[in-house]
Amino acid sequence: MNDPEGSDMTDLAARLEQEGQRQGFSLPIHSPEGKYAATNAFLESDRGSFHVSTRADGSFHVDLWLPGVQIGYGEVTDVSALATALKGWQDGTPLRELQESWPGLPLTPNAIGHEEGHAVEATWQAMLQRARHIRLGDPDVTEAASAQPRLRVLFPFPSHGTLAFLRATRFPWPPNDLPSIATSDPGFSVYAPGYELIGKTETPHEAAALVVAHLPENCGPAHEGLWPGATEAAQ
């Protein structure tokens, strides 16, 4: 529920710091510069960024990032639980424990997988289950591709009607050298990097098989986390 005490405070960072003090801990909250300083606050730690902003209805929007990947976003209303979650984020409390203590924390379905090092399987499962708050492509393409063992170990990335297969689970991605599947009308198209057409198929299972036939040798499993040598993306 909304917190009436301190609700007249317009400075979000100050309000969160005050709530932390009320609970007996200190929160190193920062505000951005500019006209949105009073309504936005963030906590940076070694694990990533926890951003909070106020909404017109008095609720809060949260946005959580590990290096190179968004792992949570959504609306919350409980400022007490929010301050506790910020403290847990600061202390490095595992996401699984944070979610158990506060089920309202809006994590993406694959967030724990990203933190624990099984984001590939967690993402495939979320896509197959048509989970909320995750990229979803053509369900028939997802099912067909997931049935191919060589594709199932790569990181699936749906975007603009195309299902790409990546060698790492976080941005910035490694060089794109793998084929992708685009849903056409009718049928399906398989493209090499650079949008070069490999072939068209009538069914998604044929398209997935065509991708496998054009995979490089020693392709996969995908690297869990940032690609070695990649720099962290600006968030």
Side-chain angles (χ1 to χ4, degrees):
M1 61 181 178
N2 288 320
D3 174 41
E5 182 179 354
S7 61
D8 59 338
M9 296 179 63
T10 58
D11 188 293
L12 176 59
R15 184 179 179 190
L16 292 170
E17 289 173 355
Q18 183 186 69
E19 177 58 30
Q21 292 169 4
R22 189 185 69 80
Q23 297 186 41
F25 51 77
S26 175
L27 290 174
I29 301 292
H30 301 281
S31 297
E33 297 180 355
K35 64 179 181 178
Y36 299 111
T39 57
N40 287 262
F42 59 91
L43 191 156
E44 298 284 354
S45 71
D46 291 340
R47 76 192 305 180
S49 173
F50 193 132
H51 179 265
V52 185
S53 59
T54 52
R55 294 171 56 87
D57 62 2
S59 65
F60 308 95
H61 180 84
V62 301
D63 192 12
L64 287 74
W65 287 79
L66 297 178
V69 61
Q70 186 183 38
I71 52 117
Y73 61 93
E75 315 318 314
V76 299
T77 59
D78 190 336
V79 70
S80 175
L82 179 55
T84 302
L86 283 161
K87 173 62 173 173
W89 183 268
Q90 175 190 355
D91 293 344
T93 303
L95 291 175
R96 191 180 296 275
E97 293 183 25
L98 285 179
Q99 192 172 53
E100 288 174 355
S101 61
W102 184 27
L105 183 64
L107 297 178
T108 60
N110 59 352
I112 292 173
H114 274 291
E115 183 174 70
E116 295 182 348
H118 51 90
V120 171
E121 181 58 26
T123 303
W124 276 113
Q125 285 291 345
M127 289 173 57
L128 288 168
Q129 295 168 5
R130 309 300 290 173
R132 297 179 59 194
H133 303 303
I134 196 168
R135 286 177 173 269
L136 294 174
D138 185 319
D140 295 330
V141 172
T142 299
E143 183 176 354
S146 71
Q148 292 282 351
R150 292 193 67 193
L151 298 183
R152 187 64 180 249
V153 298
L154 299 171
F155 187 66
F157 192 82
S159 179
H160 298 88
T162 298
L163 179 59
F165 306 95
L166 306 178
R167 292 179 179 264
T169 61
R170 300 191 191 181
F171 184 83
W173 313 118
N176 180 21
D177 62 346
L178 306 182
S180 59
I181 302 173
T183 302
S184 306
D185 187 17
F188 305 87
S189 300
V190 175
Y191 291 95
Y195 214 64
E196 178 183 351
L197 181 65
I198 294 175
K200 291 181 175 290
T201 68
E202 293 185 0
T203 72
H205 293 280
E206 292 171 334
L210 188 58
V211 170
V212 171
H214 287 80
L215 288 177
E217 293 185 7
N218 302 317
C219 180
H223 179 80
E224 292 279 353
L226 292 171
W227 185 252
T231 57
E232 181 179 338
Q235 299 176 8

mmCIF file of all heavy atoms in Angstrom, residues 144-190:
data_model
loop_
_atom_site.group_PDB
_atom_site.id
_atom_site.type_symbol
_atom_site.label_atom_id
_atom_site.label_comp_id
_atom_site.label_asym_id
_atom_site.label_seq_id
_atom_site.Cartn_x
_atom_site.Cartn_y
_atom_site.Cartn_z
ATOM 1 N N ALA A 144 9.621 -24.698 -32.601
ATOM 2 C CA ALA A 144 10.408 -25.468 -33.559
ATOM 3 C C ALA A 144 11.905 -25.320 -33.292
ATOM 4 O O ALA A 144 12.653 -26.300 -33.333
ATOM 5 C CB ALA A 144 10.078 -25.013 -34.977
ATOM 6 N N ALA A 145 12.338 -24.108 -33.015
ATOM 7 C CA ALA A 145 13.764 -23.879 -32.770
ATOM 8 C C ALA A 145 14.215 -24.539 -31.471
ATOM 9 O O ALA A 145 15.317 -25.102 -31.392
ATOM 10 C CB ALA A 145 14.044 -22.383 -32.726
ATOM 11 N N SER A 146 13.369 -24.491 -30.451
ATOM 12 C CA SER A 146 13.752 -25.071 -29.159
ATOM 13 C C SER A 146 13.891 -26.584 -29.241
ATOM 14 O O SER A 146 14.565 -27.188 -28.398
ATOM 15 C CB SER A 146 12.723 -24.703 -28.093
ATOM 16 O OG SER A 146 11.497 -25.385 -28.303
ATOM 17 N N ALA A 147 13.261 -27.197 -30.224
ATOM 18 C CA ALA A 147 13.347 -28.653 -30.382
ATOM 19 C C ALA A 147 14.654 -29.090 -31.023
ATOM 20 O O ALA A 147 14.962 -30.294 -31.050
ATOM 21 C CB ALA A 147 12.170 -29.156 -31.216
ATOM 22 N N GLN A 148 15.437 -28.133 -31.530
ATOM 23 C CA GLN A 148 16.732 -28.433 -32.134
ATOM 24 C C GLN A 148 17.821 -28.291 -31.072
ATOM 25 O O GLN A 148 18.080 -27.192 -30.582
ATOM 26 C CB GLN A 148 17.020 -27.473 -33.294
ATOM 27 C CG GLN A 148 16.121 -27.641 -34.501
ATOM 28 C CD GLN A 148 16.534 -28.839 -35.354
ATOM 29 O OE1 GLN A 148 17.588 -29.443 -35.138
ATOM 30 N NE2 GLN A 148 15.699 -29.188 -36.328
ATOM 31 N N PRO A 149 18.482 -29.381 -30.684
ATOM 32 C CA PRO A 149 19.477 -29.307 -29.615
ATOM 33 C C PRO A 149 20.574 -28.264 -29.843
ATOM 34 O O PRO A 149 21.010 -27.605 -28.895
ATOM 35 C CB PRO A 149 20.061 -30.720 -29.583
ATOM 36 C CG PRO A 149 18.953 -31.591 -30.105
ATOM 37 C CD PRO A 149 18.278 -30.757 -31.165
ATOM 38 N N ARG A 150 21.001 -28.066 -31.075
ATOM 39 C CA ARG A 150 22.074 -27.108 -31.338
ATOM 40 C C ARG A 150 21.595 -25.662 -31.201
ATOM 41 O O ARG A 150 22.396 -24.767 -30.923
ATOM 42 C CB ARG A 150 22.680 -27.329 -32.724
ATOM 43 C CG ARG A 150 23.444 -28.636 -32.865
ATOM 44 C CD ARG A 150 24.265 -28.631 -34.135
ATOM 45 N NE ARG A 150 25.350 -27.641 -34.072
ATOM 46 C CZ ARG A 150 26.060 -27.264 -35.130
ATOM 47 N NH1 ARG A 150 25.768 -27.754 -36.346
ATOM 48 N NH2 ARG A 150 27.022 -26.371 -35.002
ATOM 49 N N LEU A 151 20.295 -25.438 -31.400
ATOM 50 C CA LEU A 151 19.754 -24.090 -31.204
ATOM 51 C C LEU A 151 19.374 -23.862 -29.752
ATOM 52 O O LEU A 151 19.470 -22.740 -29.248
ATOM 53 C CB LEU A 151 18.536 -23.881 -32.107
ATOM 54 C CG LEU A 151 18.786 -23.975 -33.614
ATOM 55 C CD1 LEU A 151 17.497 -23.667 -34.378
ATOM 56 C CD2 LEU A 151 19.894 -23.023 -34.043
ATOM 57 N N ARG A 152 18.960 -24.910 -29.062
ATOM 58 C CA ARG A 152 18.500 -24.774 -27.672
ATOM 59 C C ARG A 152 19.631 -24.318 -26.748
ATOM 60 O O ARG A 152 19.373 -23.763 -25.670
ATOM 61 C CB ARG A 152 17.926 -26.105 -27.199
ATOM 62 C CG ARG A 152 17.260 -26.090 -25.824
ATOM 63 C CD ARG A 152 16.025 -25.194 -25.813
ATOM 64 N NE ARG A 152 15.390 -25.195 -24.490
ATOM 65 C CZ ARG A 152 14.217 -25.741 -24.216
ATOM 66 N NH1 ARG A 152 13.517 -26.334 -25.179
ATOM 67 N NH2 ARG A 152 13.710 -25.706 -23.003
ATOM 68 N N VAL A 153 20.894 -24.509 -27.137
ATOM 69 C CA VAL A 153 22.014 -24.084 -26.282
ATOM 70 C C VAL A 153 22.479 -22.674 -26.612
ATOM 71 O O VAL A 153 23.398 -22.155 -25.973
ATOM 72 C CB VAL A 153 23.206 -25.064 -26.384
ATOM 73 C CG1 VAL A 153 22.788 -26.443 -25.897
ATOM 74 C CG2 VAL A 153 23.761 -25.120 -27.810
ATOM 75 N N LEU A 154 21.836 -22.033 -27.610
ATOM 76 C CA LEU A 154 22.143 -20.648 -27.949
ATOM 77 C C LEU A 154 21.115 -19.731 -27.298
ATOM 78 O O LEU A 154 20.038 -20.170 -26.897
ATOM 79 C CB LEU A 154 22.149 -20.457 -29.465
ATOM 80 C CG LEU A 154 23.180 -21.284 -30.226
ATOM 81 C CD1 LEU A 154 22.943 -21.182 -31.733
ATOM 82 C CD2 LEU A 154 24.601 -20.836 -29.880
ATOM 83 N N PHE A 155 21.440 -18.439 -27.186
ATOM 84 C CA PHE A 155 20.534 -17.501 -26.527
ATOM 85 C C PHE A 155 19.525 -16.980 -27.537
ATOM 86 O O PHE A 155 19.892 -16.352 -28.531
ATOM 87 C CB PHE A 155 21.317 -16.343 -25.926
ATOM 88 C CG PHE A 155 20.474 -15.428 -25.081
ATOM 89 C CD1 PHE A 155 19.904 -15.874 -23.902
ATOM 90 C CD2 PHE A 155 20.254 -14.113 -25.464
ATOM 91 C CE1 PHE A 155 19.130 -15.041 -23.118
ATOM 92 C CE2 PHE A 155 19.479 -13.264 -24.686
ATOM 93 C CZ PHE A 155 18.912 -13.727 -23.503
ATOM 94 N N PRO A 156 18.218 -17.213 -27.318
ATOM 95 C CA PRO A 156 17.201 -16.769 -28.282
ATOM 96 C C PRO A 156 16.889 -15.283 -28.104
ATOM 97 O O PRO A 156 16.725 -14.798 -26.988
ATOM 98 C CB PRO A 156 15.987 -17.628 -27.901
ATOM 99 C CG PRO A 156 16.141 -17.856 -26.419
ATOM 100 C CD PRO A 156 17.623 -17.929 -26.166
ATOM 101 N N PHE A 157 16.783 -14.584 -29.218
ATOM 102 C CA PHE A 157 16.523 -13.141 -29.148
ATOM 103 C C PHE A 157 15.531 -12.752 -30.239
ATOM 104 O O PHE A 157 15.908 -12.489 -31.383
ATOM 105 C CB PHE A 157 17.825 -12.358 -29.314
ATOM 106 C CG PHE A 157 17.681 -10.896 -28.968
ATOM 107 C CD1 PHE A 157 17.744 -10.464 -27.651
ATOM 108 C CD2 PHE A 157 17.486 -9.947 -29.967
ATOM 109 C CE1 PHE A 157 17.614 -9.123 -27.325
ATOM 110 C CE2 PHE A 157 17.349 -8.601 -29.655
ATOM 111 C CZ PHE A 157 17.416 -8.189 -28.327
ATOM 112 N N PRO A 158 14.226 -12.703 -29.899
ATOM 113 C CA PRO A 158 13.220 -12.292 -30.881
ATOM 114 C C PRO A 158 13.198 -10.773 -31.035
ATOM 115 O O PRO A 158 13.278 -10.033 -30.047
ATOM 116 C CB PRO A 158 11.900 -12.789 -30.272
ATOM 117 C CG PRO A 158 12.245 -13.478 -28.993
ATOM 118 C CD PRO A 158 13.626 -13.101 -28.631
ATOM 119 N N SER A 159 13.041 -10.300 -32.257
ATOM 120 C CA SER A 159 12.939 -8.862 -32.498
ATOM 121 C C SER A 159 12.395 -8.619 -33.896
ATOM 122 O O SER A 159 12.908 -9.178 -34.876
ATOM 123 C CB SER A 159 14.305 -8.196 -32.348
ATOM 124 O OG SER A 159 14.236 -6.810 -32.592
ATOM 125 N N HIS A 160 11.329 -7.804 -33.986
ATOM 126 C CA HIS A 160 10.780 -7.379 -35.263
ATOM 127 C C HIS A 160 10.476 -8.556 -36.193
ATOM 128 O O HIS A 160 10.853 -8.563 -37.372
ATOM 129 C CB HIS A 160 11.724 -6.392 -35.953
ATOM 130 C CG HIS A 160 11.945 -5.125 -35.182
ATOM 131 N ND1 HIS A 160 12.936 -5.009 -34.235
ATOM 132 C CD2 HIS A 160 11.280 -3.953 -35.195
ATOM 133 C CE1 HIS A 160 12.878 -3.791 -33.706
ATOM 134 N NE2 HIS A 160 11.880 -3.137 -34.263
ATOM 135 N N GLY A 161 9.817 -9.579 -35.660
ATOM 136 C CA GLY A 161 9.405 -10.707 -36.483
ATOM 137 C C GLY A 161 10.500 -11.698 -36.809
ATOM 138 O O GLY A 161 10.294 -12.599 -37.630
ATOM 139 N N THR A 162 11.664 -11.536 -36.183
ATOM 140 C CA THR A 162 12.799 -12.413 -36.455
ATOM 141 C C THR A 162 13.294 -13.038 -35.153
ATOM 142 O O THR A 162 13.324 -12.380 -34.117
ATOM 143 C CB THR A 162 13.947 -11.626 -37.106
ATOM 144 O OG1 THR A 162 13.498 -11.094 -38.356
ATOM 145 C CG2 THR A 162 15.156 -12.510 -37.362
ATOM 146 N N LEU A 163 13.671 -14.302 -35.206
ATOM 147 C CA LEU A 163 14.293 -14.962 -34.062
ATOM 148 C C LEU A 163 15.763 -15.162 -34.369
ATOM 149 O O LEU A 163 16.130 -15.915 -35.271
ATOM 150 C CB LEU A 163 13.624 -16.308 -33.779
ATOM 151 C CG LEU A 163 14.227 -17.101 -32.604
ATOM 152 C CD1 LEU A 163 14.151 -16.306 -31.309
ATOM 153 C CD2 LEU A 163 13.526 -18.447 -32.449
ATOM 154 N N ALA A 164 16.605 -14.441 -33.613
ATOM 155 C CA ALA A 164 18.055 -14.571 -33.756
ATOM 156 C C ALA A 164 18.589 -15.500 -32.677
ATOM 157 O O ALA A 164 17.954 -15.714 -31.635
ATOM 158 C CB ALA A 164 18.717 -13.196 -33.646
ATOM 159 N N PHE A 165 19.772 -16.029 -32.920
ATOM 160 C CA PHE A 165 20.433 -16.934 -31.984
ATOM 161 C C PHE A 165 21.806 -16.347 -31.681
ATOM 162 O O PHE A 165 22.614 -16.132 -32.598
ATOM 163 C CB PHE A 165 20.547 -18.340 -32.589
ATOM 164 C CG PHE A 165 19.216 -18.868 -33.062
ATOM 165 C CD1 PHE A 165 18.827 -18.715 -34.394
ATOM 166 C CD2 PHE A 165 18.350 -19.486 -32.184
ATOM 167 C CE1 PHE A 165 17.601 -19.184 -34.836
ATOM 168 C CE2 PHE A 165 17.103 -19.951 -32.621
ATOM 169 C CZ PHE A 165 16.736 -19.801 -33.939
ATOM 170 N N LEU A 166 22.068 -16.084 -30.409
ATOM 171 C CA LEU A 166 23.252 -15.343 -30.012
ATOM 172 C C LEU A 166 24.230 -16.217 -29.233
ATOM 173 O O LEU A 166 23.829 -17.182 -28.579
ATOM 174 C CB LEU A 166 22.855 -14.126 -29.172
ATOM 175 C CG LEU A 166 21.820 -13.189 -29.809
ATOM 176 C CD1 LEU A 166 21.485 -12.047 -28.857
ATOM 177 C CD2 LEU A 166 22.331 -12.643 -31.142
ATOM 178 N N ARG A 167 25.497 -15.823 -29.280
ATOM 179 C CA ARG A 167 26.555 -16.576 -28.615
ATOM 180 C C ARG A 167 26.780 -16.154 -27.168
ATOM 181 O O ARG A 167 27.613 -16.739 -26.481
ATOM 182 C CB ARG A 167 27.864 -16.428 -29.388
ATOM 183 C CG ARG A 167 27.878 -17.104 -30.760
ATOM 184 C CD ARG A 167 29.215 -16.873 -31.421
ATOM 185 N NE ARG A 167 29.329 -17.501 -32.721
ATOM 186 C CZ ARG A 167 29.883 -18.688 -32.937
ATOM 187 N NH1 ARG A 167 30.331 -19.409 -31.924
ATOM 188 N NH2 ARG A 167 29.986 -19.179 -34.154
ATOM 189 N N ALA A 168 26.089 -15.113 -26.703
ATOM 190 C CA ALA A 168 26.205 -14.663 -25.321
ATOM 191 C C ALA A 168 24.843 -14.174 -24.857
ATOM 192 O O ALA A 168 23.954 -13.888 -25.675
ATOM 193 C CB ALA A 168 27.256 -13.561 -25.188
ATOM 194 N N THR A 169 24.671 -14.046 -23.550
ATOM 195 C CA THR A 169 23.362 -13.731 -22.999
ATOM 196 C C THR A 169 23.199 -12.262 -22.625
ATOM 197 O O THR A 169 22.116 -11.880 -22.171
ATOM 198 C CB THR A 169 23.094 -14.581 -21.745
ATOM 199 O OG1 THR A 169 24.075 -14.285 -20.739
ATOM 200 C CG2 THR A 169 23.148 -16.067 -22.080
ATOM 201 N N ARG A 170 24.251 -11.447 -22.780
ATOM 202 C CA ARG A 170 24.135 -10.045 -22.395
ATOM 203 C C ARG A 170 24.739 -9.134 -23.461
ATOM 204 O O ARG A 170 25.666 -9.504 -24.174
ATOM 205 C CB ARG A 170 24.830 -9.774 -21.058
ATOM 206 C CG ARG A 170 24.270 -10.588 -19.901
ATOM 207 C CD ARG A 170 24.812 -10.096 -18.579
ATOM 208 N NE ARG A 170 24.500 -11.016 -17.492
ATOM 209 C CZ ARG A 170 24.832 -10.815 -16.236
ATOM 210 N NH1 ARG A 170 25.505 -9.712 -15.905
ATOM 211 N NH2 ARG A 170 24.521 -11.693 -15.297
ATOM 212 N N PHE A 171 24.204 -7.926 -23.516
ATOM 213 C CA PHE A 171 24.682 -6.893 -24.437
ATOM 214 C C PHE A 171 25.923 -6.232 -23.838
ATOM 215 O O PHE A 171 25.988 -6.059 -22.619
ATOM 216 C CB PHE A 171 23.567 -5.864 -24.635
ATOM 217 C CG PHE A 171 23.885 -4.789 -25.627
ATOM 218 C CD1 PHE A 171 23.710 -5.003 -26.978
ATOM 219 C CD2 PHE A 171 24.373 -3.569 -25.206
ATOM 220 C CE1 PHE A 171 24.003 -4.007 -27.900
ATOM 221 C CE2 PHE A 171 24.671 -2.578 -26.109
ATOM 222 C CZ PHE A 171 24.494 -2.793 -27.463
ATOM 223 N N PRO A 172 26.930 -5.817 -24.655
ATOM 224 C CA PRO A 172 26.958 -5.879 -26.119
ATOM 225 C C PRO A 172 27.206 -7.295 -26.638
ATOM 226 O O PRO A 172 28.043 -8.015 -26.109
ATOM 227 C CB PRO A 172 28.107 -4.941 -26.483
ATOM 228 C CG PRO A 172 29.005 -4.963 -25.291
ATOM 229 C CD PRO A 172 28.114 -5.123 -24.106
ATOM 230 N N TRP A 173 26.429 -7.645 -27.674
ATOM 231 C CA TRP A 173 26.517 -8.992 -28.209
ATOM 232 C C TRP A 173 27.850 -9.206 -28.930
ATOM 233 O O TRP A 173 28.458 -8.259 -29.444
ATOM 234 C CB TRP A 173 25.385 -9.247 -29.198
ATOM 235 C CG TRP A 173 24.038 -8.819 -28.736
ATOM 236 C CD1 TRP A 173 23.237 -7.881 -29.317
ATOM 237 C CD2 TRP A 173 23.308 -9.297 -27.595
ATOM 238 N NE1 TRP A 173 22.064 -7.753 -28.619
ATOM 239 C CE2 TRP A 173 22.081 -8.600 -27.550
ATOM 240 C CE3 TRP A 173 23.580 -10.243 -26.616
ATOM 241 C CZ2 TRP A 173 21.130 -8.821 -26.567
ATOM 242 C CZ3 TRP A 173 22.636 -10.468 -25.631
ATOM 243 C CH2 TRP A 173 21.429 -9.776 -25.608
ATOM 244 N N PRO A 174 28.293 -10.451 -29.026
ATOM 245 C CA PRO A 174 29.456 -10.765 -29.861
ATOM 246 C C PRO A 174 29.096 -10.580 -31.333
ATOM 247 O O PRO A 174 27.923 -10.413 -31.678
ATOM 248 C CB PRO A 174 29.725 -12.234 -29.522
ATOM 249 C CG PRO A 174 28.419 -12.762 -29.051
ATOM 250 C CD PRO A 174 27.749 -11.627 -28.338
ATOM 251 N N PRO A 175 30.081 -10.601 -32.220
ATOM 252 C CA PRO A 175 29.785 -10.462 -33.654
ATOM 253 C C PRO A 175 28.709 -11.452 -34.097
ATOM 254 O O PRO A 175 28.749 -12.632 -33.755
ATOM 255 C CB PRO A 175 31.136 -10.756 -34.317
ATOM 256 C CG PRO A 175 32.143 -10.397 -33.273
ATOM 257 C CD PRO A 175 31.513 -10.752 -31.954
ATOM 258 N N ASN A 176 27.744 -10.956 -34.862
ATOM 259 C CA ASN A 176 26.624 -11.781 -35.304
ATOM 260 C C ASN A 176 27.024 -12.595 -36.526
ATOM 261 O O ASN A 176 27.099 -12.067 -37.634
ATOM 262 C CB ASN A 176 25.412 -10.900 -35.616
ATOM 263 C CG ASN A 176 24.219 -11.720 -36.084
ATOM 264 O OD1 ASN A 176 24.154 -12.916 -35.824
ATOM 265 N ND2 ASN A 176 23.296 -11.083 -36.768
ATOM 266 N N ASP A 177 27.274 -13.893 -36.305
ATOM 267 C CA ASP A 177 27.673 -14.743 -37.430
ATOM 268 C C ASP A 177 26.754 -15.952 -37.580
ATOM 269 O O ASP A 177 27.107 -16.922 -38.236
ATOM 270 C CB ASP A 177 29.121 -15.199 -37.259
ATOM 271 C CG ASP A 177 29.329 -16.053 -36.004
ATOM 272 O OD1 ASP A 177 28.429 -16.060 -35.139
ATOM 273 O OD2 ASP A 177 30.381 -16.710 -35.903
ATOM 274 N N LEU A 178 25.566 -15.868 -36.981
ATOM 275 C CA LEU A 178 24.656 -17.007 -37.013
ATOM 276 C C LEU A 178 23.390 -16.664 -37.800
ATOM 277 O O LEU A 178 22.935 -15.522 -37.788
ATOM 278 C CB LEU A 178 24.276 -17.422 -35.594
ATOM 279 C CG LEU A 178 25.440 -17.705 -34.636
ATOM 280 C CD1 LEU A 178 24.910 -18.145 -33.280
ATOM 281 C CD2 LEU A 178 26.380 -18.755 -35.221
ATOM 282 N N PRO A 179 22.788 -17.654 -38.457
ATOM 283 C CA PRO A 179 21.543 -17.408 -39.197
ATOM 284 C C PRO A 179 20.381 -17.080 -38.258
ATOM 285 O O PRO A 179 20.432 -17.350 -37.057
ATOM 286 C CB PRO A 179 21.301 -18.734 -39.923
ATOM 287 C CG PRO A 179 22.595 -19.470 -39.876
ATOM 288 C CD PRO A 179 23.267 -19.023 -38.623
ATOM 289 N N SER A 180 19.330 -16.520 -38.825
ATOM 290 C CA SER A 180 18.130 -16.183 -38.067
ATOM 291 C C SER A 180 16.902 -16.590 -38.881
ATOM 292 O O SER A 180 16.981 -16.825 -40.090
ATOM 293 C CB SER A 180 18.081 -14.694 -37.754
ATOM 294 O OG SER A 180 18.104 -13.926 -38.952
ATOM 295 N N ILE A 181 15.753 -16.651 -38.177
ATOM 296 C CA ILE A 181 14.499 -17.034 -38.818
ATOM 297 C C ILE A 181 13.539 -15.849 -38.791
ATOM 298 O O ILE A 181 13.298 -15.262 -37.732
ATOM 299 C CB ILE A 181 13.836 -18.222 -38.092
ATOM 300 C CG1 ILE A 181 14.774 -19.425 -38.056
ATOM 301 C CG2 ILE A 181 12.513 -18.595 -38.771
ATOM 302 C CD1 ILE A 181 14.240 -20.576 -37.216
ATOM 303 N N ALA A 182 12.985 -15.501 -39.943
ATOM 304 C CA ALA A 182 11.988 -14.437 -40.028
ATOM 305 C C ALA A 182 10.651 -15.046 -40.452
ATOM 306 O O ALA A 182 10.599 -15.892 -41.355
ATOM 307 C CB ALA A 182 12.415 -13.378 -41.036
ATOM 308 N N THR A 183 9.596 -14.630 -39.783
ATOM 309 C CA THR A 183 8.259 -15.071 -40.173
ATOM 310 C C THR A 183 7.821 -14.295 -41.404
ATOM 311 O O THR A 183 7.780 -13.063 -41.389
ATOM 312 C CB THR A 183 7.262 -14.841 -39.030
ATOM 313 O OG1 THR A 183 7.709 -15.555 -37.875
ATOM 314 C CG2 THR A 183 5.882 -15.316 -39.408
ATOM 315 N N SER A 184 7.537 -14.998 -42.473
ATOM 316 C CA SER A 184 7.143 -14.368 -43.733
ATOM 317 C C SER A 184 5.656 -14.569 -43.959
ATOM 318 O O SER A 184 4.959 -15.167 -43.155
ATOM 319 C CB SER A 184 7.939 -14.968 -44.897
ATOM 320 O OG SER A 184 9.336 -14.890 -44.667
ATOM 321 N N ASP A 185 5.165 -14.065 -45.054
ATOM 322 C CA ASP A 185 3.760 -14.236 -45.406
ATOM 323 C C ASP A 185 3.670 -14.592 -46.890
ATOM 324 O O ASP A 185 3.726 -13.701 -47.755
ATOM 325 C CB ASP A 185 2.963 -12.963 -45.102
ATOM 326 C CG ASP A 185 1.462 -13.158 -45.300
ATOM 327 O OD1 ASP A 185 1.034 -14.332 -45.342
ATOM 328 O OD2 ASP A 185 0.747 -12.144 -45.405
ATOM 329 N N PRO A 186 3.593 -15.871 -47.210
ATOM 330 C CA PRO A 186 3.461 -17.010 -46.298
ATOM 331 C C PRO A 186 4.828 -17.600 -45.940
ATOM 332 O O PRO A 186 5.851 -17.207 -46.509
ATOM 333 C CB PRO A 186 2.657 -18.000 -47.136
ATOM 334 C CG PRO A 186 3.173 -17.743 -48.538
ATOM 335 C CD PRO A 186 3.433 -16.261 -48.615
ATOM 336 N N GLY A 187 4.837 -18.540 -45.032
ATOM 337 C CA GLY A 187 6.031 -19.312 -44.733
ATOM 338 C C GLY A 187 7.038 -18.599 -43.858
ATOM 339 O O GLY A 187 6.725 -17.661 -43.118
ATOM 340 N N PHE A 188 8.300 -19.035 -43.991
ATOM 341 C CA PHE A 188 9.382 -18.567 -43.126
ATOM 342 C C PHE A 188 10.645 -18.407 -43.967
ATOM 343 O O PHE A 188 10.869 -19.146 -44.919
ATOM 344 C CB PHE A 188 9.620 -19.566 -41.984
ATOM 345 C CG PHE A 188 8.370 -19.842 -41.195
ATOM 346 C CD1 PHE A 188 7.484 -20.836 -41.607
ATOM 347 C CD2 PHE A 188 8.048 -19.096 -40.079
ATOM 348 C CE1 PHE A 188 6.307 -21.081 -40.907
ATOM 349 C CE2 PHE A 188 6.878 -19.328 -39.377
ATOM 350 C CZ PHE A 188 6.003 -20.319 -39.791
ATOM 351 N N SER A 189 11.453 -17.427 -43.580
ATOM 352 C CA SER A 189 12.693 -17.153 -44.314
ATOM 353 C C SER A 189 13.872 -17.279 -43.362
ATOM 354 O O SER A 189 13.800 -16.838 -42.213
ATOM 355 C CB SER A 189 12.671 -15.751 -44.918
ATOM 356 O OG SER A 189 11.596 -15.606 -45.828
ATOM 357 N N VAL A 190 14.942 -17.849 -43.833
ATOM 358 C CA VAL A 190 16.175 -17.989 -43.055
ATOM 359 C C VAL A 190 17.226 -17.096 -43.695
ATOM 360 O O VAL A 190 17.472 -17.169 -44.903
ATOM 361 C CB VAL A 190 16.647 -19.454 -43.009
ATOM 362 C CG1 VAL A 190 18.000 -19.558 -42.307
ATOM 363 C CG2 VAL A 190 15.608 -20.323 -42.301
#
